[in-house]
Amino acid sequence: MQPRAIILRAAGTNCDLETAHAFELAGATSQIVHVNRLVENPSRLKEFQILAIPGGFSYGDDIAAGRILANQLVHHLGDALERFRSLGKPIIGICNGFQVLIKTHLFTGPAGGSEPPHPVGTLTHNDCGRFVDRWVRLAPRSRKCIWTKGLRDFEAPVAHAEGKFVPANEPSRRFLWEDDRVALVYVQPDGSPAGGQFPHNPNGSVDDIAGVCDGSGLVLGLMPHPERHVTPLQHYAWTRLTALPLEAAGLGLFRNAVDYVRQAVGVGV
């Protein structure tokens, strides 16, 4: 039986189809569901083994990026989402989805093991003061994150105006590193640290952080778009490559989640 992924969308979401396609290429079946349908019947989450909140501009990013959708999740689906994670089911938030997740309890909740001394942080306006749409290189850092397990440095596009990750304070910054929750960082083309410098770090994120996970390694939030690099022909320079790889690096992230669900016990497959 194939694992089932639910792609949660709202008004303004615009990366749902790409995310669904990525999971299907990775071996799952996927279904796009509007958040209102899930609010009406939270028990529908039991039908799925993976949850994705894709990129876009949910509710036009009114008030703040991802705030309205995050409030819906917290107030109407908080218990259902915690049950989902407690059963060992992976969750990912990409770009706007990361902005949504960072405003929920899912990076600090009880399924995460040790608790941070403060909220992990927030996502704010890029240092350059404008929307950035370009390709970046990423390096995995976390050993516990199930999404990035075994991945090497890879390229993916970014497209955001509020992607700068800022820890809540210095204790939170140290905690993220000490508890192995920094999942991805921005690096230079040769793999060396981006050092906060544009364009390798496209937004000025503290410590070049591009993605973080929760204490269980099941929940991942990241600003880059791996779903936009799941086939080699999506690479910006594919015509200059002497040999195309069999699959693009971004697909490995989705394949990791699908393989984890297939192998894990008690995830409802």
Side-chain angles (χ1 to χ4, degrees):
M1 180 177 178
Q2 289 179 296
R4 301 189 67 204
I6 178 172
I7 317 301
L8 196 63
R9 71 173 308 277
T13 299
N14 61 22
C15 297
D16 44 337
L17 291 175
E18 294 99 320
T19 305
H21 180 60
F23 277 112
E24 289 167 2
L25 287 178
T29 62
S30 59
Q31 183 175 348
I32 299 171
V33 178
H34 194 284
V35 64
N36 288 350
R37 305 290 78 78
L38 200 58
V39 169
E40 292 170 353
N41 184 12
S43 66
R44 286 195 63 185
L45 269 179
K46 297 177 182 178
E47 304 171 13
F48 302 92
Q49 292 78 48
I50 302 171
L51 168 65
I53 305 177
F57 302 89
S58 59
Y59 297 109
D61 282 345
D62 286 345
I63 306 176
R67 170 64 70 183
I68 296 176
L69 181 53
N71 284 348
Q72 281 186 291
L73 299 186
V74 169
H75 294 293
H76 299 289
L77 295 167
D79 291 342
L81 291 174
E82 184 53 45
R83 284 194 299 271
F84 190 93
R85 178 174 57 157
S86 68
L87 290 172
K89 300 181 180 184
I91 300 172
I92 189 171
I94 303 171
C95 196
N96 190 246
F98 186 15
Q99 294 165 336
V100 170
L101 287 182
I102 203 75
K103 297 174 176 68
T104 71
H105 66 283
L106 288 172
F107 287 113
T108 58
S114 57
E115 289 306 305
H118 304 281
V120 295
T122 191
L123 292 158
T124 188
H125 295 280
N126 301 343
D127 276 357
C128 65
R130 60 180 174 81
F131 185 90
V132 174
D133 182 2
R134 65 180 305 115
W135 284 70
V136 296
R137 178 166 286 275
L138 304 166
R141 287 291 181 264
S142 174
R143 296 174 301 278
K144 69 170 60 175
C145 181
I146 66 102
W147 294 87
T148 58
K149 182 180 179 180
L151 297 186
R152 299 180 178 180
D153 294 6
F154 65 98
E155 290 181 291
V158 295
H160 57 252
E162 297 178 49
K164 178 180 180 178
F165 181 80
V166 181
N169 46 39
E170 181 57 22
S172 291
R173 187 193 71 80
R174 292 198 303 269
F175 178 85
L176 287 170
W177 287 104
E178 292 168 1
D179 201 47
D180 196 26
R181 298 197 187 192
V182 177
L184 293 162
V185 295
Y186 300 109
V187 294
Q188 297 188 46
D190 62 1
S192 60
Q197 298 300 307
F198 187 89
H200 308 302
N201 179 331
N203 45 47
S205 286
V206 173
D207 290 348
D208 298 325
I209 294 173
V212 298
C213 67
D214 75 329
S216 70
L218 293 169
V219 182
L220 172 65
L222 72 164
M223 288 309 299
H225 287 270
E227 81 283 5
R228 296 182 183 176
H229 190 203
V230 294
T231 70
L233 298 184
Q234 289 175 314
H235 191 271
Y236 62 91
W238 73 269
T239 58
R240 298 197 294 270
L241 298 178
T242 55
L244 288 177
L246 295 178
E247 64 180 46
L251 184 60
L253 195 135
F254 299 95
R255 194 183 301 283
N256 274 344
V258 172
D259 289 346
Y260 175 85
V261 167
R262 283 177 171 154
Q263 297 166 13
V265 177
V267 294
V269 179

